[in-house]
């Protein structure tokens, strides 16, 4: 209680009865004291004797005590967690992951180990799925298995996540009513938009903020009233962790407004639910709610000046107002205060990328890739920077590595499509872009308009004019008023020989972007091409 760790350690070591050797509980207490004193090597010696190759047989040596609820406390799990923290402090992340997994397998209720693995992105989506499958839960503990599933990466759970969340939110059998529920609602990470390959004002690939696709989601309040009794659920619809998982799912599928409404309602009822702030801040950033970001950032700095979350919110506000120097300063402060804050590292790199400062952006992305081996976004960001610098070979390596870490991310597939397009490998580009479209969750959103435009360029390069025109028109349906898309559509129709429609499209593009010399030149060429046949026809009639 008084934080006199060295005094407690002295008492434990100086005891005549050798308490540390006799009882594993005293060994654990001594190790905790060494951790607080940051004596990492001595702590490893204190909890030593169990190596990785003996993890499968260590259960026979485990020691359990019942807690107040009657459940068994696994001291092997506790010591494994402690050893994982020591290896983490020594930056030996490989061994840290092994011991965190060992702690969780020994005791699935060791939530701290699970939280470290998930929040710090130590595992890929496949590794997370394998870890969940290896945990033994009883039927009474199904709620915890579902909560673990909801908290894991959602790229490979497109078909099952909604069912998982609904079961968590649904009342238990004795509380079920025939009427539908009516409840309002790591953390998310600032991402980057897909690259485009034609529009000269949008050719850069360093624009932050990926916008996932919008979709028709079944919300808790949209369940129709039924006379039939609903199956039993877990009754956790008002639980903060479950509501945050629901908000993260909304964010993942691009339903930013629903995500924002859910987290706003949650924070209104519980202003100190800090676990809801990261996803609320990123949803506000996607919706460009400057006033909301300013208010939340100001409150967080007042309440938690020593936490990285507060300065992350300040950085997001300045990113929203396009004050990139201030944004990167506060993102940098957040990363210095909490080295394991993945969202701050990505935002830090994006703030540099916005200003075309590739070297600093690459440094931030490299650090994030080293700290968070299960997160593919730093690799994607590095690939974008290499592509911007025309280092296409290294860009391809980064994109392929990101795709390997997360095969279900459409952003990496889009970037690979752009890269192969620049290498004039148009059939391969088409395959990557079509794959990206398949991976977009739900319906297409305006944020994925560059992906659709890229596919149109690919069709145009292969002289598939009709398909290119259809794709460009689809892009205009997603995001009207884009001069580059109108120019591409006019250029395609010009090549096809549909001069009148091409001239109309060129006029629309020039009206939106009068300073574009390419559009003006192509309009002049189209007008000239249209005038030549008319002159020849006039000579035939009046000659």
């Amino acid at each position: 209680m008084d934080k006199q760790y060295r005094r407690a350690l002295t008492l434990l070591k100086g005891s005549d009865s050798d308490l540390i050797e006799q009882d594993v509980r005293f060994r654990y207490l001594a190790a905790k004291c060494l951790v607080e004193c940051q004596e990492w090597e001595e702590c490893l010696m204190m909890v030593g004797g169990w190596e990785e190759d003996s993890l499968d047989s260590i259960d026979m040596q485990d020691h359990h005590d019942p807690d107040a609820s009657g459940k068994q406390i696994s001291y092997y799990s506790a010591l494994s967690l402690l050893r994982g923290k020591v290896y983490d402090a020594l930056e030996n992340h490989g061994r840290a992951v092994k011991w965190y997994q060992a702690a969780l397998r020994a005791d699935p209720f060791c939530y701290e180990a699970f939280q470290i693995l998930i929040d710090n992105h130590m595992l890929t989506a496949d590794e997370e799925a394998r870890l969940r499958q290896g945990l033994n839960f009883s039927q009474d503990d199904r709620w915890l298995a579902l909560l673990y599933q909801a908290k894991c990466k959602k790229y490979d759970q497109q078909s099952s996540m909604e069912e998982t969340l609904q079961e968590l939110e649904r009342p238990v059998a004795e509380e079920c009513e025939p009427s539908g529920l009516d409840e309002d609602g790591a953390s998310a990470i600032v991402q980057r938009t897909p690259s485009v390959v034609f529009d000269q004002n949008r050719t850069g690939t360093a624009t932050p903020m990926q916008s996932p696709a919008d979709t028709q989601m079944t919300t808790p309040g949209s369940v129709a009233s039924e006379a039939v009794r609903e199956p039993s659920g877990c009754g956790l619809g008002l639980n903060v962790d479950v509501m945050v998982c629901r908000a993260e799912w909304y964010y993942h599928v691009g339903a930013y407004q629903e995500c924002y409404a859910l987290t706003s309602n949650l924070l209104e009822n519980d202003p100190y639910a800090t676990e809801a702030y990261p996803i609320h801040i990123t949803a506000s950033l996607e919706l460009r709610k400057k006033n909301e970001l300013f208010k939340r950032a100001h409150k967080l700095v007042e309440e938690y000046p020593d936490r990285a979350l507060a300065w992350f919110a300040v950085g997001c506000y300045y990113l929203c107002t396009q004050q990139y120097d201030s944004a990167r300063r506060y993102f940098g402060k957040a990363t210095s205060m909490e080295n394991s804050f993945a969202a701050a590292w990505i935002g830090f790199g994006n703030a540099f990328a916005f200003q075309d400062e590739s070297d600093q952006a690459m440094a931030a992305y490299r650090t994030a890739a080293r700290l968070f081996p299960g997160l593919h976004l730093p690799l994607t960001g590095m690939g974008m920077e290499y592509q911007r610098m025309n280092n296409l070979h290294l860009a391809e390596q980064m994109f392929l590595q990101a795709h390997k870490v997360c095969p279900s991310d459409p952003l990496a597939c889009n970037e690979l499509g752009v890269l192969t397009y620049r290498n004039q490998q148009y059939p391969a580009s088409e395959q990557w872009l079509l794959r990206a479209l398949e991976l977009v969750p739900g319906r297409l959103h305006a944020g994925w308009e560059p992906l659709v435009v890229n596919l149109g360029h690919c069709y145009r390069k292969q002289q598939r004019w009709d398909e290119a025109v259809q794709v460009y028109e689809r892009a205009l349906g997603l995001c009207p008023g884009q001069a580059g898309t109108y120019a591409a559509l006019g250029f395609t129709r010009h090549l096809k020989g549909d001069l009148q429609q091409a001239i109309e499209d060129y006029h629309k593009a020039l009206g939106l972007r009068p300073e574009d010399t390419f559009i003006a030149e192509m309009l002049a060429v189209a007008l000239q091409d249209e005038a030549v046949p008319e002159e020849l026809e006039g000579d035939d009639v009046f000659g």
Side-chain angles (χ1 to χ4, degrees), residues 26-99:
F26 290 110
R27 178 183 292 273
Y28 176 71
L29 181 59
K32 289 282 287 183
C33 291
L34 289 169
V35 166
E36 295 296 337
C37 297
Q38 298 186 4
E39 299 288 348
W40 311 119
E41 298 295 341
E42 189 175 352
C43 182
L44 280 179
M45 294 177 61
M46 182 69 65
V47 298
W50 296 339
E51 297 300 330
E52 287 82 353
D53 56 1
S54 62
L55 294 180
D56 295 334
S57 60
I58 203 66
D59 289 341
M60 300 293 294
Q61 309 167 29
D62 202 2
H63 181 88
H64 295 79
D65 273 348
D67 64 3
S69 63
K71 292 187 178 294
Q72 297 292 320
I73 298 175
S74 170
Y75 284 100
Y76 169 68
S77 177
L79 287 169
S80 297
L81 172 64
L82 199 60
R83 191 161 191 172
K85 289 182 177 179
V86 172
Y87 279 125
D88 233 347
L90 296 173
E91 297 189 359
N92 190 338
H93 301 300
R95 286 200 169 188
V97 168
K98 290 182 179 180
W99 284 104

Side-chain angles (χ1 to χ4, degrees), residues 217-509:
M217 292 297 301
T218 303
T219 62
S222 67
V223 181
S225 299
E226 299 177 0
V228 181
R229 193 176 186 86
E230 294 181 356
S232 177
C234 301
L236 297 174
L238 297 178
N239 179 270
V240 173
D241 287 322
V242 174
M243 294 175 77
V244 170
C245 289
R246 166 66 72 177
E248 290 175 349
W249 175 238
Y250 283 149
Y251 184 90
H252 176 76
V253 298
Y256 302 122
Q257 192 61 52
E258 290 83 350
C259 175
Y260 174 79
L262 181 64
T263 53
S264 296
N265 181 69
L266 173 57
L267 291 172
E268 183 179 351
N269 295 327
D270 184 2
Y272 297 98
T274 54
E275 56 268 53
Y277 273 105
I279 189 65
H280 180 75
I281 290 167
T282 49
S284 302
L285 182 58
E286 290 289 349
L287 296 171
R288 297 296 187 265
K289 292 185 176 293
K290 301 177 185 178
N291 292 337
E292 175 69 11
L293 285 169
F294 179 83
K295 180 182 73 172
R296 295 293 182 185
H298 187 73
K299 179 178 176 60
L300 285 170
V301 170
E302 281 188 345
E303 298 286 346
Y304 308 105
D306 297 330
R307 295 189 60 175
L309 175 62
W311 303 107
F312 169 74
V314 176
C316 286
Y317 167 74
Y318 283 115
L319 195 66
C320 185
T321 56
Q322 298 183 359
Q323 301 180 53
Y324 302 121
D325 288 333
S326 298
R328 70 193 193 193
R329 181 165 64 251
Y330 288 107
F331 282 136
K333 183 172 183 178
T335 58
S336 64
M337 296 178 71
E338 186 177 335
N339 200 34
S340 61
F341 199 163
W345 279 109
I346 301 299
F348 193 34
N350 288 353
F352 282 113
F354 262 126
Q355 296 182 305
D356 295 338
E357 297 187 17
S358 295
D359 292 340
Q360 292 88 338
M362 290 286 289
Y365 291 140
R366 284 194 191 98
T367 304
R370 177 176 58 83
L371 293 175
F372 314 109
L375 186 62
H376 67 286
L377 292 176
L379 298 170
T380 306
M382 291 168 64
M384 289 180 173
E385 294 307 311
Y386 279 129
Q387 189 166 218
R388 195 221 306 266
M389 294 184 291
N390 275 330
N391 193 335
L392 302 185
H393 178 68
L394 286 178
E396 183 180 20
Q397 290 184 3
M398 292 297 105
F399 290 141
L400 288 174
Q401 192 173 347
H403 181 66
K404 181 179 180 181
V405 173
C406 185
S408 302
D409 181 28
L411 180 62
C413 293
N414 174 77
E415 297 303 324
L416 283 165
V418 173
L419 187 67
T420 49
Y421 179 95
R422 292 185 62 179
N423 288 329
Q424 300 182 1
Q425 301 170 0
Y426 303 121
S429 176
E430 178 189 352
Q431 293 302 315
W432 280 116
L433 295 173
L434 289 173
R435 177 60 178 160
L437 281 174
E438 292 174 0
L439 292 174
V440 171
R443 295 187 305 168
L444 282 177
H445 181 266
W448 288 111
E449 181 258 357
L451 169 59
V452 181
V453 172
N454 291 344
L455 183 60
H457 299 334
C458 192
Y459 284 144
R460 189 192 73 239
K461 283 292 188 179
Q462 298 178 79
Q463 300 184 7
R464 295 157 65 177
W465 316 124
D466 293 335
E467 293 173 89
V469 167
Q470 290 178 3
V471 171
Y472 287 138
E473 289 176 343
R474 186 182 182 187
L476 287 171
L478 291 172
C479 194
Q482 291 293 321
T485 309
Y486 275 116
L489 182 59
F491 188 49
T492 303
R493 284 172 168 160
H494 193 168
L495 294 171
K496 183 183 175 183
D498 190 355
L499 294 176
Q500 289 188 350
Q501 285 293 328
I503 291 170
E504 184 179 342
D505 292 330
Y506 286 143
H507 275 297
K508 290 179 181 178

